[in-house]
Amino acid sequence: QEAEVPVTRSESSPAINLPTAPDEVARLRLDKLSEASRTLIERLALLGRLLPADLVAALWDGDEEVFLDAIDELVRTRLLAEDVAHDRVRYRFEAEGFREAVIRSIASERKTALHAFIANQLERGFVRRRNELAHVLARHHRAGGQSARAVRYLEVLARQAASRGDLEGGLRRLTEARSTLMERPRNRAS
């Protein structure tokens, strides 16, 4: 299943097998990372394209030195770029295609668990900013199988839209909340 193309440099040198599929290139790069960096890059890939440093730090639940080493490795290997301004630090993926390949490489059950982890970490770490982060929390709770919690944030987003006079946007969020509830697995009691 590996897509490789043999490349011959000259008659005296051996053929070199180069991966051609972007997912294969991403897998090879991921395999070279430390376990901590691999864990962090998976979480960050699910979080999004632009990554404020405070949100990045909130997704780490271990030793701070290990976290700093992981960030350094991701920047050093040019998987992440660090953008520093006078009032903030944020990270971004050097290549959006790589971020997408990382997401595709995560098994479905693990992806669901990671979305739930991200939502829970952000909820705990940013109690005072929950309304500001409602769109992020709704998305990750929903993808993490936490429908009721996703609906709570979709309702916040609907109220925010309505207060801005965006009734159509508010209605879209309420429709999304309804479909989220309809998607929930049914048990015998429901």
Side-chain angles (χ1 to χ4, degrees):
Q1 187 176 6
E2 292 182 9
E4 294 184 350
V5 176
V7 176
T8 306
R9 293 184 181 236
S10 71
E11 291 188 27
S12 61
S13 66
I16 301 170
N17 289 325
L18 298 175
T20 58
D23 288 0
E24 180 64 16
V25 172
R27 188 190 61 75
L28 292 171
R29 292 189 77 184
L30 289 170
D31 287 347
K32 293 178 182 177
L33 295 175
S34 67
E35 183 178 337
S37 293
R38 172 83 183 241
T39 298
L40 185 57
I41 199 80
E42 287 178 345
R43 293 172 182 176
L44 297 179
L46 291 174
L47 183 59
R49 292 177 180 92
L50 297 175
L51 310 160
D54 56 345
L55 298 186
V56 170
L59 296 187
W60 191 255
D61 58 345
D63 181 73
E64 183 179 1
E65 286 299 316
V66 175
F67 167 71
L68 294 173
D69 288 344
I71 282 287
D72 285 344
E73 181 180 5
L74 295 173
V75 171
R76 189 177 60 255
T77 58
R78 301 179 143 247
L79 297 177
L80 289 182
E82 184 177 52
D83 298 326
V84 181
H86 71 283
D87 62 339
R88 63 162 172 73
V89 175
R90 76 177 180 190
Y91 298 91
R92 62 181 164 74
F93 280 82
E94 286 277 357
E96 178 60 18
F98 177 77
R99 184 182 83 85
E100 292 167 356
V102 170
I103 292 170
R104 286 189 299 271
S105 76
I106 304 170
S108 179
E109 300 80 27
R110 177 161 168 72
K111 199 178 296 183
T112 299
L114 283 173
H115 278 294
F117 172 83
I118 290 167
N120 294 334
Q121 288 292 105
L122 294 179
E123 223 173 25
R124 272 195 293 278
F126 297 99
V127 173
R128 294 174 194 238
R129 290 178 56 195
R130 286 180 180 171
N131 285 350
E132 175 190 340
L133 297 172
H135 64 289
V136 175
L137 292 166
R139 179 170 60 94
H140 289 291
H141 277 306
R142 185 176 188 180
Q146 300 169 326
S147 300
R149 291 168 80 183
V151 166
R152 181 180 335 145
Y153 291 107
L154 289 167
E155 289 172 345
V156 167
L157 291 168
R159 282 194 300 277
Q160 289 173 350
S163 72
R164 291 189 310 268
D166 181 9
L167 299 180
E168 189 175 311
L171 183 58
R172 267 195 316 271
R173 294 302 184 175
L174 291 174
T175 301
E176 186 178 347
R178 182 178 183 274
S179 69
T180 298
L181 290 173
M182 300 299 286
E183 292 170 0
R184 283 182 11 180
R186 303 277 178 187
N187 61 31
R188 291 178 205 219
S190 53

